[in-house]
Amino acid sequence: MAALNTSTQIAVIGAGAMGSGIAQVAAAAGHPVWLYDARDGVAEKSRQQIRAIFSRLVEKGKMTSEHAALAGEALKVATALEDVAQAGLVIEAIVEDLEAKRQLFSELEAVIDPRALLATNTSSVSVTAIAAKLEHPHRLAGLHFFNPAPLMALVEIVSGLATAPDVAQTLYETAEGWGKKPVHTRSTPGFIVNRVARPFYAEALRLMEEQVSSASTLDALLREGGRFPMGPFELMDLIGHDVNFAVTCSVFNAYFQDPRFKPSLTQQELVMAGYLGRKSGRGFYPYGPDTEAPVIAELPIQPAPSVVIIEGDLGPGEALVSGIPSSIAVKRSSGSGVIRLEGCTLALSDGRTATIRSAEDDVPDLVLFDLAFDYGKPGRIAIATSDQASPRSLQIAAGFLQSIGWQVSVVEDSPGLVVLRTVAMLANEAADALLQSVASAEDIDKAMRFGVNYPQGPLAWADRLGTGYIYRVLKGLQDNYQEDRYRPSALLRRLASSGGSLQKA
Ligand code: NAI
């Protein structure tokens, strides 16, 4: 089935934040659009706001005045559900409540054409459950836009158990025609993004709770080392802790309290205090006119070593070598992939703490460095020393990394440090979603790139680092905590043994 023709009438039910955004997208794409809201005046207000947005886009040169006029005129307010009887697609964006959604769709079925398609913008209610009471459940699918809908590219096309494949495909192609990046997914808790992204917040919260570093330093490391567009704490402050905590609790409960999704007491405390983030003027950070920039832990410049010995292949960290300035003599020898620096050993984390690795591998004065998205482009990097190491080791290791151009933040010794731990846990969740056929590998990565703007899809990222390596990092986390939360996905375990790729699994 092809995309819906732009002459197809679209009805959007619920003209709140999401419904208004979706109506704007559909009208800009050339469809006649009906807006309906149960509360008097809300749909009309939304229509005025969308028209005002179109005018601003014309002023900014992002829309022609002809296009804006046509799109503005295409928006109509429905005062009763009967008004939308001719719609070929009805998109529901009302309150997040199963019974309210079921009630609405059953009322709609009584007035619309039996061939019309039905879509829900739900982010946490089962699409299968919403469709279950319909006369024609095969024609309902999820059409999950992200907030704000006109700006966020991703749309998850969610198939419930009864959804007909051609209905999902029509919605996919229609969303693509509207300029979006659609993905197919099955109706499972959190779909793709709200599930796979959970560790981004959860691991950061845990690192802070265990005093590995401060929120501002962890944010800076994930931004400037991991190349995530925002750090987890500033992102939670932006989303709102009430919303973010509710999503985590919803996914946790929907997966029958799987410890992998366990909510954080720290975040619950913020919600209870009313420190909801930007919208309430305070979250992890204070917001206000006189607010000072948060302090990021950073080691002052240390003396650079004169000689380094690279033993073996540094694996993902190999690109560091090309950045070493000519003032430092570089020698290479065979070995286990470590950097020897005048009395200290520097190595990329493998998921074990520096303290445990130092003892197990019998390496005194061990300093570990974190994963970076691109070791060839210096930013910020975390290092940690083993408990056995001399304080001087830290300075020597920092001096070396600083000589290449890295800003160094020292964190407490913790398994997988910060960026590596986050990426490994994201890849683990993505691998399990793939194993459970929630979506294809390509769509999982596409969803994470366009739904939350990660610099690379977690599956492609894990493949680039090596599935065997990611598996070892997860084993390190699991050994350290002895918790089911860190159990590696069975798919990663299998691929680690064969050297296989998640993207091709
Ligand atoms: P909202 O509260 O801003 O808007 C909901 C609108 O629906 C309100 O104007 C309300 O009057 C209207 N409404 C409620 N019951 C109705 C009914 N039976 N018939 C007609 N209109 C009714 O909510 P928001 O944020 O726009 O969310 C709407 C849906 O989109 C929810 O299912 C939500 O989970 C989902 N969603 C929300 C996202 C977000 O970030 N806000 C992101 C993605 C999905």
Side-chain angles (χ1 to χ4, degrees):
M1 256 177 128
L4 294 173
N5 193 290
T6 50
S7 62
T8 307
Q9 292 185 19
I10 310 286
V12 179
I13 313 295
M18 294 308 294
S20 295
I22 296 166
Q24 180 187 327
V25 171
H31 291 270
V33 177
W34 289 101
L35 262 172
Y36 175 80
D37 198 283
R39 284 184 297 153
D40 275 351
V42 170
E44 178 54 34
K45 197 170 157 217
S46 160
R47 177 164 72 157
Q48 305 290 353
Q49 280 169 350
I50 299 170
R51 286 181 171 171
I53 292 168
F54 287 152
S55 301
R56 279 207 300 281
L57 290 173
V58 172
E59 281 163 25
K60 287 185 186 164
K62 293 185 174 166
M63 213 176 180
T64 64
S65 47
E66 294 78 18
H67 185 189
L70 280 174
E73 279 161 27
L75 282 163
K76 300 256 180 315
V77 167
T79 50
L81 282 184
E82 287 71 20
D83 291 347
V84 310
Q86 303 304 316
L89 167 63
V90 183
I91 305 171
E92 167 276 309
I94 67 165
V95 57
E96 188 73 332
D97 176 81
L98 174 60
E99 281 319 312
K101 288 181 193 290
R102 276 182 168 168
Q103 172 72 27
L104 171 72
F105 280 117
S106 84
E107 286 171 27
L108 279 166
E109 264 202 322
V111 296
I112 59 164
D113 190 284
R115 288 160 305 175
L117 305 186
L118 301 174
T120 171
N121 186 50
T122 184
S123 47
S124 63
V125 180
S126 157
V127 172
T128 300
I130 296 173
K133 301 277 161 131
L134 287 179
E135 228 170 282
H136 303 292
H138 71 275
R139 61 164 156 169
L140 185 137
L143 195 60
H144 184 215
F145 286 82
F146 286 70
N147 192 12
L151 299 182
M152 296 299 290
L154 181 69
V155 181
E156 291 177 329
I157 313 292
V158 187
S159 289
L161 213 50
T163 307
D166 60 350
V167 169
Q169 192 54 28
T170 300
L171 292 175
Y172 183 101
E173 287 173 30
T174 302
E176 208 163 44
W178 294 355
K180 296 297 178 190
K181 300 275 185 194
V183 292
H184 283 294
T185 178
R186 275 198 310 122
S187 179
T188 50
F191 311 137
I192 304 174
V193 171
N194 278 342
R195 171 188 177 162
V196 176
R198 299 271 52 84
F200 187 65
Y201 314 106
E203 293 313 309
L205 284 160
R206 187 139 184 184
L207 284 164
M208 194 194 68
E209 285 162 1
E210 293 181 359
Q211 303 179 60
V212 172
S213 196
S214 65
S216 48
T217 304
L218 293 166
D219 271 351
L221 286 164
L222 283 152
R223 246 190 354 251
E224 299 165 29
R227 302 285 176 204
F228 288 91
M230 287 180 83
F233 297 98
E234 54 192 357
L235 183 53
M236 285 185 274
D237 270 8
L238 180 68
I239 293 168
H241 292 285
D242 48 346
V243 174
N244 191 264
F245 185 67
V247 175
T248 305
C249 290
S250 146
V251 173
F252 175 61
N253 288 318
Y255 279 107
F256 307 112
Q257 278 102 46
D258 186 332
R260 203 125 101 187
F261 303 108
K262 199 164 158 186
S264 146
L265 285 175
T266 304
Q267 192 174 35
Q268 178 174 257
E269 190 88 351
L270 288 177
V271 175
M272 290 193 292
Y275 297 168
L276 304 181
R278 274 176 192 266
K279 63 185 171 189
S280 57
R282 182 167 180 179
F284 282 110
Y285 299 102
Y287 297 91
D290 305 322
T291 310
E292 287 173 16
V295 177
I296 297 165
E298 184 170 338
L299 212 61
I301 295 289
Q302 304 296 316
S306 51
V307 183
V308 302
I309 303 164
I310 314 281
E311 292 186 1
D313 190 316
L314 296 182
E318 191 57 38
L320 271 182
V321 181
S322 54
I324 300 174
S326 53
S327 53
I328 300 177
V330 180
K331 296 182 184 165
R332 296 209 74 132
S333 70
S334 59
S336 57
V338 297
I339 304 168
R340 305 271 187 212
L341 300 162
E342 297 163 4
C344 107
T345 301
L346 179 64
L348 171 61
S349 171
D350 65 0
R352 290 177 291 172
T353 62
T355 302
I356 287 174
R357 184 161 162 186
S358 175
E360 283 181 355
D361 296 0
D362 195 20
V363 183
D365 289 323
L366 179 65
V367 182
L368 297 182
F369 63 93
D370 199 2
L371 179 67
F373 180 73
D374 182 355
Y375 286 104
K377 293 201 179 104
R380 180 176 301 278
I381 198 158
I383 59 171
T385 51
S386 62
D387 293 352
Q388 306 89 323
S390 68
R392 226 186 115 249
S393 322
L394 198 77
Q395 294 158 0
I396 298 166
F400 168 67
L401 290 165
Q402 287 165 337
S403 75
I404 306 176
W406 292 86
Q407 289 171 298
V408 175
S409 297
V410 179
V411 301
E412 278 300 311
D413 186 19
S414 59
L417 298 176
V418 179
V419 179
L420 179 57
R421 171 176 176 152
T422 305
V423 171
M425 287 296 280
L426 289 171
N428 199 37
E429 203 48 57
D432 245 15
L434 179 62
L435 181 64
Q436 293 155 8
S437 72
V438 170
S440 68
E442 195 184 345
D443 278 356
I444 290 172
D445 274 358
K446 185 176 169 188
M448 303 316 287
R449 282 193 299 117
F450 294 106
V452 269
N453 298 323
Y454 288 174
Q456 187 167 22
L459 299 172
W461 205 337
D463 277 352
R464 175 158 70 88
L465 297 169
T467 45
Y469 174 58
I470 294 294
Y471 177 68
R472 280 202 306 283
V473 172
L474 290 162
K475 287 295 286 176
L477 279 156
Q478 192 188 32
D479 287 350
N480 187 77
Y481 288 110
Q482 302 287 314
E483 284 177 38
D484 204 28
R485 167 178 172 136
Y486 296 102
R487 66 183 188 274
S489 163
L491 178 59
L492 255 176
R493 180 164 194 217
R494 177 174 167 176
L495 294 170
S497 309
S498 65
S501 140
L502 281 162
Q503 291 163 286
K504 293 189 188 132

